[in-house]
DNA sequence: CAGTATCCTGGACGATACTG
DNA sequence: CAGTATCGTCCAGGATACTG
């Protein structure tokens, strides 16, 4: 393997690492998970999402939808009626993501009481933090 | 069920929701996953972690370790030799979290090429974004 | 209805210097 | 060695107003 190939490999791995974290960071961000969860039940319109998700700002609804769309997890379906209307739905890829996400959510729910307890315990043992 | 109980339940759920997201947000933050991954192989000392994780600042190493410790996912083991020394290791709870996290990481790795492709495609179709 | 544009704030994170 | 303390920056996200 020559220098160039080694260099190339480095760069590919660096990029993968970035994308890897950029995808995972969507999972961790404030709204993606909520949207994914909502859309896993049924396709919904922009305004429906805005109504059912308390406290989300229009800006973040748009931004988050666009990110999810860009990653191919959600699609914007245009219905060509008159007047036209729009729906958001999970893609096939989005649907496969729901599986590990659900597993993580289940883990969190299963352990939430324990974590609350651990937190309280830690805070008690470490007052000045 | 009387008013008070309904109110209590509301509040519990609200708290759960907060904790739920605060735990998930650890998963999404910049360093927790890396630390969890590192420690899933073997217990390590502070300086070892700092050396093996490129680019992490001492501050974020400390902050992230403390958060993980607070949630009961990582423990700081004090070895009472002279001089004493310290190790960080996953707790039992931390080890159980590795399972769904690994599943999510696997999903990301499995689909990373597709996502890169989708991203490029989206960017091409939507120039002004 | 389904968004976009603009402005603003708080907090995550990094750099750096210091300490028992 | 294993951190803590302080300061500064940047950007995610909210509030609000506007548009085809």
């Amino acid at each position: 393997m020559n220098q160039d190939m080694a260099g190339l490999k480095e760069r590919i791995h660096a990029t993968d690492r970035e994308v890897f974290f950029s995808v995972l960071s969507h999972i961790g961000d404030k709204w993606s998970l909520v949207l994914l969860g909502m859309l896993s039940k049924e396709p919904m319109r922009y305004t429906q999402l805005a109504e059912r998700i308390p406290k989300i700002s229009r800006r973040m609804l748009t931004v988050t939808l666009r990110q999810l769309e860009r990653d191919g997890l959600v699609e914007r379906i245009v219905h060509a009626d008159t007047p036209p209307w729009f729906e958001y739905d999970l893609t096939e890829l989005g649907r496969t993501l729901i599986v590990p996400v659900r597993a993580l959510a289940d883990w969190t729910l299963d352990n939430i009481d324990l974590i609350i307890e651990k937190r309280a315990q830690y805070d008690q043992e470490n007052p000045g933090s």
Side-chain angles (χ1 to χ4, degrees), chain A:
Chain A
M1 188 189 295
N2 62 32
Q3 287 291 68
D4 284 336
M5 279 200 58
L8 183 62
K9 242 190 142 188
E10 283 281 309
R11 261 175 290 132
I12 288 173
H13 286 165
T15 305
D16 271 8
R17 203 186 129 91
E18 276 169 41
V19 176
F20 178 74
F21 282 107
S22 76
V23 172
L24 277 176
S25 77
H26 286 334
I27 306 309
D29 80 7
K30 199 169 177 184
W31 297 113
S32 296
L33 228 51
V34 183
L35 285 181
L36 255 14
M38 278 289 169
L39 295 177
S40 74
K41 295 177 193 161
E42 49 178 340
M44 291 179 71
R45 303 176 66 156
Y46 185 90
T47 318
Q48 283 182 292
L49 287 166
E51 280 165 5
R52 298 212 199 168
I53 303 176
K55 298 283 182 186
I56 194 170
S57 65
R58 284 167 179 279
R59 184 178 172 281
M60 286 319 294
L61 180 52
T62 303
V63 168
T64 309
L65 281 171
R66 292 293 167 268
Q67 271 174 1
L68 262 14
E69 232 186 309
R70 186 165 105 103
D71 285 358
L73 300 170
V74 162
E75 63 180 333
R76 182 174 182 272
I77 301 163
V78 181
H79 296 268
D81 303 353
T82 46
W85 56 291
F86 315 95
E87 258 182 339
Y88 291 92
D89 194 9
L90 295 188
T91 60
E92 253 333 289
L93 185 62
R95 251 172 264 283
T96 68
L97 175 56
I98 289 291
V99 177
V101 162
R102 186 99 63 195
L104 193 58
D106 287 345
W107 181 93
T108 310
L109 258 10
D110 287 346
N111 293 287
I112 214 162
D113 291 337
L114 187 52
I115 289 176
I116 292 176
E117 190 183 315
K118 292 282 180 185
R119 244 118 100 152
Q121 185 183 329
Y122 182 97
D123 290 346
Q124 194 177 345
E125 291 167 1
N126 307 61
S129 292

